[in-house]
Amino acid sequence: MTHIDDLSIDNLYIIGLSWKTAPLSLRESFVFESTFINERSKEIKEAFDIAEIMILSTCNRTEFTVVSKHDPKDFLIKYLADYAKYDVNQVKDYIYTKKSIDAVRHIFELSCGLDSQVIGETQILSQLKEAYRTTVVYNLSGAILNRVMRKAFTIAKIVRTQTDIQKGHLSIASLASHIADKLYGLSGKKVLIIGSGDMARLSAKYFFDQGSHIAYIANRRSETVDFAQNFNSSVVGLDSLKNLFADVDIIVSCIYTPKPIIESVDIDKRLLIMDLSVPSSVSLSVKQNPNVTLLNIDDLKNTFEDSIMSKQTSIELSKKIIDEQLSLFIEENSALDYNKTIDTLRQYADRIRKVELKKFQKKYKTDEELFDAVDKLTRSILNKTLHEPTSKIRQFIKEPEGDMYVELIRRLFNVSIDKKPVNCFFSANPDDEKN
């Protein structure tokens, strides 16, 4: 089994695929249901002797971020292919690998929304925090992932406050409402939202803000649709969908489902369906009805490209900030060496012991035999006194706030190499920051 102390940023890997490398028809096979991500993570961790792992699975990407002594590329590509029921040769060209500093930079850019289809969108930050939270809760992270993720959250906050990256459309749901308004005009239109997650909630908000009536919200369990009251919407089950098609103008589907829940639409009026789900929740066969317009995430591509052009200045400034913060992170990471801290504390304590021992010898003019005995006694006392604290320091390596605890110990013993306030090293807890 890999020893934690042997690992560094050079052992950080990202293996995955995204909207940049794979079409929706392929990506939807690689989506991991959130309720099973912890099980999959543990399975991978044990199968390849991986020290740390985080799985990020969204509508636009599936990524494994791992810390491993051995290169996990071949193993993880095969794992992904097997999960999606593909041969490795069919999918390997769609899968990318990033390592070491390149992997760190990718996570930093991801947290700022620079690698998203909608540049500057904030939903990816929430998704990253949720992925990291799962990793921490199930004891799958360690010092490296903890440091990288918490720095990523800090950088995202800096970029949001120092650039205009968040101006304009900030989510797929926002863009979807914009496109729907251009195609159909949203004022007074009746909308059916399918789902109860973040995308469904955002869609309801954006369509409502542009004058639509959120007539229905459909979900597997009606009790999970707690936001329906905000729009005076009727909550219905998925088995009622077909009865609603004729009563609405727009359907926005944002639900996780392994296979389509809408296979056909039999109506003689115009109907816009926006399938924002991955895997797709609406079958392409609905296009057989000439009255139906179906758009999925990849159909919004031209609007995404317009978003990039309009934010070019903010993108360049954001990347400059990331470059600066990456350099700082490398310095901070080097300074936060746990073994070095343990050695420094022992050296600090031993210096005091030796000074006091010399004073004792000079004052009491001890012979060599007594001096050696006292030397061994004080050395034994020192080792036993420091055993528990140094053991705790090694345990801190698995804690999300471990670096802060160790830095506080350095400050207490005046062996820190930096005198900045401790909170300059670390971001707020992911749960504390509102998006």
Side-chain angles (χ1 to χ4, degrees):
M1 183 173 288
T2 301
H3 197 274
I4 291 172
D5 295 341
D6 296 333
L7 300 170
S8 69
I9 290 298
D10 289 336
N11 299 110
L12 181 68
Y13 297 85
I14 294 176
I15 289 88
L17 71 169
S18 74
W19 66 278
K20 287 183 173 180
T21 65
L24 175 62
S25 57
L26 184 68
R27 293 201 311 275
E28 61 187 10
S29 299
F30 291 84
V31 174
F32 285 74
E33 191 171 356
S34 59
T35 51
F36 298 112
I37 280 182
N38 65 302
E39 295 177 14
R40 292 287 181 177
S41 298
K42 290 177 181 177
E43 181 181 86
I44 295 168
K45 193 172 186 288
E46 293 170 3
F48 196 72
D49 188 23
I50 284 172
E52 306 176 37
I53 181 169
M54 181 180 77
I55 296 179
L56 175 66
S57 187
T58 74
C59 59
N60 283 327
R61 72 187 68 246
T62 292
E63 290 184 353
F64 294 156
T65 302
V66 303
V67 178
S68 175
K69 188 69 174 177
H70 311 287
D71 189 340
K73 178 181 176 181
D74 293 340
F75 169 79
L76 290 178
I77 289 177
K78 187 177 187 308
Y79 187 94
L80 278 169
D82 290 346
Y83 174 81
K85 296 180 172 57
Y86 281 96
D87 182 85
V88 169
N89 291 327
Q90 291 177 290
V91 298
K92 65 180 182 180
D93 290 341
Y94 297 98
I95 297 173
Y96 49 80
T97 302
K98 299 180 186 295
K99 182 179 184 294
S100 188
I101 299 302
D102 289 337
V104 176
R105 183 189 299 277
H106 175 74
I107 293 172
F108 290 174
E109 291 184 351
L110 202 59
S111 71
C112 299
L114 296 186
D115 199 60
S116 299
Q117 281 186 309
V118 184
I119 295 295
E121 58 103 352
T122 55
Q123 191 174 8
I124 185 60
L125 183 59
S126 297
Q127 292 163 337
L128 267 174
K129 288 180 177 181
E130 186 58 37
Y132 176 58
R133 183 181 292 107
T134 298
T135 295
V136 171
V137 166
Y138 290 99
N139 199 31
L140 300 168
S141 67
I144 295 170
L145 263 181
N146 290 336
R147 291 171 186 172
V148 172
M149 296 310 298
R150 300 189 74 78
K151 187 66 175 180
F153 302 146
T154 299
I155 293 173
K157 187 174 182 180
I158 294 171
V159 166
R160 289 203 307 273
T161 55
Q162 296 186 10
T163 75
D164 292 330
I165 200 72
Q166 282 191 297
K167 284 192 174 180
H169 300 293
L170 294 178
S171 68
I172 291 172
S174 172
L175 269 178
S177 67
H178 173 71
I179 291 171
D181 190 41
K182 288 176 68 176
L183 291 175
Y184 274 41
L186 291 182
S187 181
K189 293 295 191 298
K190 294 179 74 173
V191 178
L192 162 63
I193 303 287
I194 304 176
S196 63
D198 290 342
M199 184 78 80
R201 294 166 187 265
L202 284 172
S203 296
K205 176 186 182 301
Y206 285 122
F207 277 77
F208 179 81
D209 288 347
Q210 296 206 52
S212 296
H213 170 40
I214 312 301
Y216 306 99
I217 298 177
N219 198 45
R220 295 183 183 90
R221 294 183 298 161
S222 59
E223 64 269 20
T224 61
V225 191
D226 57 349
F227 62 101
Q229 60 186 6
N230 299 337
F231 309 103
N232 196 26
S233 307
S234 298
V235 179
V236 299
L238 298 183
D239 54 355
S240 303
L241 289 178
K242 284 195 173 183
N243 301 327
L244 302 176
F245 294 160
D247 191 44
V248 298
D249 304 296
I250 300 169
I251 298 173
V252 183
S253 186
C254 320
I255 193 169
Y256 175 84
T257 175
K259 61 181 181 179
I261 56 174
I262 300 178
E263 297 279 0
S264 62
V265 177
D266 185 18
I267 57 171
D268 57 3
K269 55 168 281 189
R270 290 182 71 198
L271 179 66
L272 172 63
I273 302 178
M274 308 196 84
D275 185 5
L276 307 184
S277 309
V278 179
S280 299
S281 58
V282 182
S283 171
L284 295 177
S285 62
V286 302
K287 290 183 175 182
Q288 293 174 7
N289 186 329
N291 296 305
V292 175
T293 300
L294 172 64
L295 298 176
N296 61 33
I297 287 178
D298 281 3
D299 291 326
L300 310 182
K301 185 176 180 182
N302 290 338
T303 310
F304 295 143
E305 291 173 351
D306 290 343
S307 170
I308 293 175
M309 293 301 296
S310 65
K311 295 184 177 182
Q312 197 58 49
T313 300
S314 293
I315 291 171
E316 291 174 3
L317 179 56
S318 298
K319 287 185 175 181
K320 183 179 178 182
I321 291 171
I322 289 172
D323 286 341
E324 293 170 352
Q325 291 296 319
L326 182 60
S327 297
L328 286 173
F329 172 76
I330 294 170
E331 292 177 14
E332 291 168 4
N333 188 66
S334 175
L336 292 168
D337 186 316
Y338 285 23
N339 285 330
K340 190 182 295 183
T341 296
I342 291 171
D343 290 343
T344 302
L345 286 177
R346 286 191 172 278
Q347 291 167 9
Y348 172 82
D350 198 50
R351 278 198 304 272
I352 295 174
R353 184 189 70 84
K354 288 178 177 177
V355 168
E356 294 304 313
L357 195 59
K358 288 286 186 184
K359 290 180 181 177
F360 173 81
Q361 184 185 36
K362 184 175 182 181
K363 182 175 181 179
Y364 295 102
K365 304 188 185 308
T366 59
D367 57 32
E368 188 174 336
E369 183 178 356
L370 178 59
F371 180 82
D372 288 343
V374 175
D375 181 48
K376 289 177 182 178
L377 175 65
T378 55
R379 192 185 304 276
S380 176
I381 292 172
L382 181 122
N383 288 336
K384 289 179 179 179
T385 302
L386 291 180
H387 174 72
E388 189 65 22
T390 53
S391 295
K392 288 292 184 186
I393 289 176
R394 293 187 185 281
Q395 291 175 21
F396 288 155
I397 202 168
K398 294 285 287 181
E399 297 288 334
E401 299 282 4
D403 288 341
M404 183 172 69
Y405 301 153
V406 174
E407 179 58 25
L408 288 172
I409 290 172
R410 292 191 187 98
R411 301 295 175 91
L412 286 172
F413 287 92
N414 199 32
V415 294
S416 176
I417 65 171
D418 206 314
K419 303 303 178 185
K420 292 184 295 185
V422 175
N423 60 9
C424 286
F425 286 90
F426 315 98
S427 69
N429 188 289
D431 288 329
D432 296 338
E433 191 172 317
K434 302 297 181 184
N435 295 311

